[in-house]
Amino acid sequence: MTAPQTPQRKEIPPGDDVCAVPPPVDEEPPIDRFCDLVLTGGVASGVVYPWAIVELARVYRFQSIGGTSVGAMAAALAAASEYGRRTGCDAPFEALRRTPAALGEMLPDGRTRMLSLFQTHRRGRRLIELWGRLARGRRAGKPGRAVGGWPTVAAAVLTVYRWPSGLGALAGLALAAVDGAGPIGHALSVPLGGLAGLGLAVWGDVRCGLVGNGLGLCKGGTMEAPGPEGRRPGLSEWLHEGIQACAGLQDTDRPLTFRDLWSAPAYRGAAPERRTEDDPVDKRTIDLRMITTNVTHGRPYRLPLADQTSRLFYSRDEWKDYFPQAVLDALELVARPYEPSPAHGSDPSLSEAQAQGLLELPTADLPVVVAARLSLSFPLLFSAVPLWAIDYEAPRGQRKLRPCWFSDGGISSNFPIHFFDESVPRWPTFGLWLDSKGPYDYGDVWLPDFIDKGWGDNWNRFDPRTRPAAPAAPGASPDAADHRPDMSLLSGFLLGVVMAAKDWRDRTSMRLPHVRTRVARMLLAPDEGGLHIAMSRQQILDMAGRYGTTAGKRFVQQFAEGDDGHTPAWRDQRLVRLQLLVNGLRERLTGLAANAAWPAHATPMAALIARAKSTVQQPMGRRSNHALLNGEQARELQALLLELERLENVLSQAQAQPTRPGPEPELRLRSPL
């Protein structure tokens, strides 16, 4: 999904000629009715999000919004619209409401506006055209295959690369004539020459237009000359304009930042309060978070950066094709020059950073559009984004600033439903999960309405034996099904391995009792969304209505349409959360007292705390300052240990709950993103 139509361009009709478009958001929810929202990634599938957000905005105010990849872009627009509502903007959700129709706008060259956003280096334009042709050639019921199979793929390749193929064929024919080849040589020279010309052209495009373009086809900037209808913005510029429009800001205003969201008024007319990175998270008026993946480090990063040990730096020269100049200008005003950290004492010198032209990536003052683009970097389609970090793996005295490549957040965490979880929530956190239709009819959107639903696994049915049997032909034997192995079984298995490695956390989380009843599964057909960036206007609007509007209304119906909001779904959600907290604490604290007092080959915890008041001498003359406590800290820690032991005793004697929702989550410590 990408950004909405901006006020500067001609107004696009909302799409009423294609489907039932949601009416404008004229409702004003109570100032104390909030919800959180988490959106999954899925490239073109994001066209379903705007109208789901619109339906929720009629009843709820958005407090916290998170997402990955295209979900991060939709989250950015939703947060900007909520900011516009809080700051008094007229019709702040109108630009979002018109997004599907704006994406489906037909341009004079036959492309939709959405397809035109994927602008690339001149050596990558044939690859983008090929990508679009292959996407248009797909059909429902044949996931992963084009209509007609390999003949259709070959036809698309030869159409896009007709000139290199033709010239190669002519060169082969001419070479055969010069060499005096016989009839067989003449017959083979044409196809071999065509294949050689095709191969050289494809190799050159991949080398220069993809690898040399930041390991992807589209950096996000505006690369095309204006067309008959005017300027055609690239993805990042389009999104920047959309965020500004949703927030009630002009294109010439400073880009919307995370600090703006954190410091927004609590409601229209209230006074804003300036927030900093050091303020508690629950003090943020609008909390927007996103996920990106540092492929170099092999782990996800949360945006805006929260981990103070993960400093990142950027080069404006490297980013000039990724973002509009106005965004880079604003970023440069708030980015700090590189400074070695005094805490480490071995950071690279200032001169090294200056030679690379590096500035430190800000946190609170980071423009929202920059974080969204960092999250949306689907491999190969979008260029990876270069950032720099200190190589602490190198020994002291040899540490340098080295480049890191950031790609799509969905590589590591495509559905961060855990972003805003609390032990006992004050308001619901909704999730929108982009899934695919299975062999059973659950409609377009499925949202479990009872706590005992939704615990089953999603099946990846690459083995034909896991699919429901089709009705047997008259007179056929029940065992007549053909189960002979073929290459599709291998390809399906390998794809399943990749998807399991990527999505296992997300799919496991959705089975949990406190998650499954608040996640709407949008069951898309094989030819809808995904990498199909060449979808028609009809299909874009149809998807927005069938999936987005339906999902938004389902949430409202199950969680808000009750007496004072006391619907069974919301009541069950809070009760289950409390049960799971109690069970989790019991599981984590079991054995605490015995383990703390264990004397065999270990110092009992009470004595360990007492000893920590003095410096402990370590081998080789080194001193450890990590466990030192002063007297007050030691007394407090002893008291807390006693309280935990008492809590363990209370929990062990408590009666078992009449119901135990499963599968139960486990309380575990993990590193911050």
Side-chain angles (χ1 to χ4, degrees):
M1 195 207 72
T2 48
Q5 179 71 23
T6 64
Q8 286 77 12
R9 303 194 194 100
K10 65 177 183 179
E11 188 173 88
I12 305 297
D16 302 271
D17 57 320
V18 175
C19 63
V21 176
V25 181
D26 297 326
E27 297 84 354
E28 189 73 20
I31 61 174
D32 59 352
R33 170 173 271 179
F34 301 102
C35 78
D36 300 336
L37 182 63
V38 178
L39 307 171
T40 188
V43 192
S45 304
V47 299
V48 304
Y49 287 143
W51 290 353
I53 295 169
V54 162
E55 293 302 327
L56 287 172
R58 303 183 194 281
V59 179
Y60 292 100
R61 298 174 182 272
F62 295 110
Q63 168 66 28
S64 302
I65 312 168
T68 295
S69 190
V70 71
M73 301 183 76
L77 294 170
S81 296
E82 183 63 36
Y83 175 85
R85 172 155 63 184
R86 306 279 184 93
T87 55
C89 172
D90 292 333
F93 289 91
E94 184 62 12
L96 197 56
R97 186 178 78 97
R98 291 179 178 268
T99 295
L103 292 173
E105 178 192 3
M106 295 303 300
L107 303 181
D109 60 4
R111 295 181 297 173
T112 60
R113 176 67 67 180
M114 181 168 73
L115 184 56
S116 76
L117 298 177
F118 296 86
Q119 299 182 15
T120 184
H121 184 273
R122 62 180 182 83
R123 290 300 301 269
R125 289 171 188 166
R126 288 186 296 204
L127 294 175
I128 278 288
E129 182 184 352
L130 179 61
W131 192 302
R133 285 180 178 272
L134 293 177
R136 285 193 294 268
R138 299 163 74 97
R139 65 181 178 185
K142 297 289 184 182
R145 297 185 182 180
V147 177
W150 285 108
T152 301
V153 174
V157 172
L158 292 175
T159 299
V160 173
Y161 286 90
R162 54 189 177 275
W163 287 110
S165 301
L167 292 175
L170 289 176
L173 184 62
L175 185 61
V178 170
D179 290 345
I184 297 179
H186 279 81
L188 292 176
S189 64
V190 173
L192 290 177
L195 286 175
L198 172 64
L200 289 173
V202 172
W203 170 251
D205 285 355
V206 169
R207 182 173 179 271
C208 299
L210 192 147
V211 178
N213 195 49
L215 303 171
L217 293 175
C218 307
K219 286 187 173 180
T222 301
M223 309 292 289
E224 296 182 4
E229 78 289 352
R231 197 161 181 270
R232 298 170 179 169
L235 182 75
S236 296
E237 184 173 354
W238 172 270
L239 180 62
H240 167 60
E241 293 173 351
I243 290 173
Q244 297 296 95
C246 289
L249 303 172
Q250 299 296 320
D251 293 345
T252 54
D253 291 334
R254 177 178 56 82
L256 184 72
T257 67
F258 285 91
R259 189 189 303 277
D260 294 330
L261 298 176
W262 300 350
S263 307
Y267 51 87
R268 189 190 302 256
E273 296 186 27
R274 183 176 175 83
R275 301 298 180 193
T276 70
E277 298 91 335
D278 299 327
D279 290 325
V281 172
D282 61 358
K283 297 298 183 181
R284 298 173 182 175
T285 312
I286 303 172
D287 187 12
L288 174 64
R289 306 183 199 178
M290 305 170 185
I291 291 288
T292 183
T293 299
N294 187 335
V295 179
T296 306
H297 289 171
R299 69 175 179 90
Y301 274 57
R302 194 183 83 185
L303 297 172
L305 294 172
D307 180 7
Q308 298 302 315
T309 65
S310 301
R311 300 171 67 195
L312 295 174
F313 310 89
Y314 79 96
S315 164
R316 173 166 182 155
D317 185 60
E318 290 181 334
W319 276 18
K320 65 179 184 300
D321 292 332
Y322 287 83
F323 301 101
Q325 181 176 337
V327 173
L328 293 176
D329 290 343
L331 183 59
E332 192 168 352
L333 291 176
V334 296
R336 294 177 300 178
Y338 167 81
E339 291 183 3
S341 173
H344 299 139
S346 60
D347 285 353
S349 65
L350 177 61
S351 60
E352 180 181 339
Q354 291 175 335
Q356 298 289 348
L358 299 180
L359 296 172
E360 185 161 2
L361 198 70
T363 300
D365 294 314
L366 181 70
V368 170
V369 65
V370 174
R373 174 59 185 87
L374 278 166
S375 185
L376 178 66
S377 300
F378 188 88
L380 302 186
L381 179 58
F382 290 104
S383 302
V385 183
L387 282 160
W388 293 67
I390 300 172
D391 184 1
Y392 285 113
E393 193 173 23
R396 287 176 175 267
Q398 301 179 33
R399 293 170 179 171
K400 302 289 184 181
L401 284 158
R402 302 190 189 279
C404 297
W405 289 98
F406 280 74
S407 191
D408 198 275
I411 297 173
S412 51
S413 181
N414 204 35
F415 187 47
I417 191 65
H418 61 277
F419 257 166
F420 313 114
D421 276 352
E422 295 180 350
S423 299
V424 178
R426 288 181 285 179
W427 48 75
T429 297
F430 300 128
L432 292 173
W433 172 260
L434 298 172
D435 212 331
S436 57
K437 290 190 186 299
Y440 306 105
D441 185 13
Y442 285 95
D444 294 319
V445 177
W446 186 61
L447 175 64
D449 52 357
F450 292 106
I451 198 65
D452 59 347
K453 293 184 178 181
W455 54 266
D457 286 299
N458 288 91
W459 283 59
N460 185 5
R461 302 178 187 275
F462 58 85
D463 188 332
R465 292 171 295 178
T466 63
R467 304 169 193 157
S477 168
D479 299 327
D482 183 7
H483 294 313
R484 291 175 298 177
D486 58 21
M487 294 305 294
S488 65
L489 182 63
L490 175 61
S491 62
F493 174 75
L494 295 177
L495 179 61
V497 169
V498 173
M499 298 306 293
K502 185 177 79 71
D503 291 338
W504 71 268
R505 296 174 186 83
D506 303 330
R507 293 190 177 276
T508 303
S509 296
M510 283 198 300
R511 298 184 63 240
L512 297 176
H514 66 295
V515 175
R516 58 186 182 237
T517 58
R518 56 187 173 97
V519 176
R521 283 82 160 174
M522 299 182 173
L523 308 177
L524 278 62
D527 62 337
E528 294 178 327
L531 298 177
H532 302 168
I533 60 177
M535 291 189 298
S536 66
R537 178 175 182 268
Q538 169 81 31
Q539 192 172 19
I540 291 172
L541 286 163
D542 179 65
M543 288 177 61
R546 284 192 297 115
Y547 299 107
T549 302
T550 302
K553 288 184 175 181
R554 291 274 179 87
F555 280 132
V556 170
Q557 180 183 10
Q558 288 189 201
F559 284 84
E561 292 183 354
D563 297 333
D564 297 327
H566 296 166
T567 62
W570 183 221
R571 178 198 65 202
D572 292 348
Q573 178 71 205
R574 283 167 57 84
L575 283 175
V576 165
R577 288 291 189 91
L578 181 59
Q579 285 181 282
L580 295 177
L581 173 63
V582 171
N583 294 341
L585 287 173
R586 180 187 292 115
E587 184 267 336
R588 291 299 290 167
L589 293 178
T590 297
L592 180 141
N595 294 342
W598 185 258
H601 308 289
T603 304
M605 190 60 66
L608 195 63
I609 294 173
R611 288 180 58 186
K613 290 189 293 184
S614 60
T615 303
V616 180
Q617 190 75 20
Q618 299 294 331
M620 304 298 294
R622 298 177 60 185
R623 294 180 181 271
S624 172
N625 296 319
H626 298 292
L628 294 184
L629 303 171
N630 59 36
E632 182 179 352
Q633 292 170 335
R635 287 190 295 272
E636 185 177 76
L637 195 56
Q638 291 278 20
L640 289 173
L641 177 61
L642 290 175
E643 290 298 325
L644 288 174
E645 292 175 351
R646 292 192 186 100
L647 179 58
E648 177 195 1
N649 184 54
V650 171
L651 291 172
S652 66
Q653 298 179 13
Q655 294 183 359
Q657 296 293 316
T659 59
R660 292 179 65 88
E664 288 193 21
E666 298 176 344
L667 297 182
R668 290 290 184 267
L669 300 177
R670 65 175 180 82
S671 175
L673 300 183

